[in-house]
Amino acid sequence: MHHFDEPVYMISIVAKILDIHPQTLRQYERENLITPSRSDGRIRLYSQRDIEKIKMILRLTREVGVNLAGVDVVIRLKDKMEAMEQEMMELRAEIARMRSSSGVPPEKSLVTKRSIYEMVIFDDDILK
């Protein structure tokens, strides 16, 4: 079995799997919605992750009626959300590590949200 991100499927196979014309895949690539890998001979190769993304594009365009510009916005927002969720998980893990290491008592730390997340640790002298 191939890895989820391993580019192994040629354009004709992906088109057959998804029951679409290869030109549709080329159009998605021109619109920068997908970026298949290329072989040394410049043949487009798609991974399972690429196929899942194409399925999402097809659902948005066919079932929801979103145009390709809208699909681009949805994909960018989805990517940002996933990055934020990953960052929040990492921050939660770091807070848990700090609390368990007895380095900073919870009442002396504060997490604030700005354009990025940052942790502020208060010194005893400041709190008095």
Side-chain angles (χ1 to χ4, degrees):
M1 190 68 181
H2 298 287
H3 189 268
F4 196 66
D5 291 319
E6 186 178 354
V8 293
Y9 303 101
M10 293 185 344
I11 192 168
S12 59
I13 302 301
V14 174
K16 185 175 263 189
I17 289 170
L18 299 175
D19 194 28
I20 58 176
H21 197 279
Q23 195 62 31
T24 304
L25 295 169
R26 292 184 191 98
Q27 176 68 31
Y28 292 169
E29 185 177 1
R30 278 192 299 275
E31 297 285 339
N32 292 317
L33 298 175
I34 57 172
T35 309
S37 298
R38 298 281 182 146
S39 69
D40 292 338
R42 304 286 298 149
I43 295 172
R44 289 174 180 88
L45 294 174
Y46 297 84
S47 67
Q48 189 61 43
R49 184 175 308 281
D50 293 326
I51 291 173
E52 293 302 315
K53 189 172 185 180
I54 296 163
K55 285 180 182 179
M56 182 187 70
I57 294 167
L58 291 171
R59 272 192 308 276
L60 287 169
T61 55
R62 292 177 177 172
E63 296 171 20
V64 183
V66 178
N67 64 19
L68 293 183
V71 169
D72 184 47
V73 170
V74 169
I75 289 172
R76 289 175 195 255
L77 288 172
K78 181 178 178 291
D79 290 345
K80 283 183 181 182
M81 281 179 37
E82 289 172 356
M84 284 184 191
E85 288 172 354
Q86 180 63 36
E87 186 178 2
M88 286 179 6
M89 284 181 10
E90 291 168 4
L91 287 169
R92 285 184 182 120
E94 186 171 338
I95 289 169
R97 278 193 303 276
M98 290 182 77
R99 285 183 176 160
S100 67
S101 71
S102 302
V104 177
E107 65 275 1
K108 293 184 181 178
S109 66
L110 170 71
V111 178
T112 61
K113 181 179 179 243
R114 298 205 175 115
S115 61
I116 60 170
Y117 294 89
E118 57 188 45
M119 184 173 287
V120 179
I121 300 174
F122 296 104
D123 190 294
D124 280 338
D125 296 333
I126 296 173
L127 292 174
K128 292 179 182 176

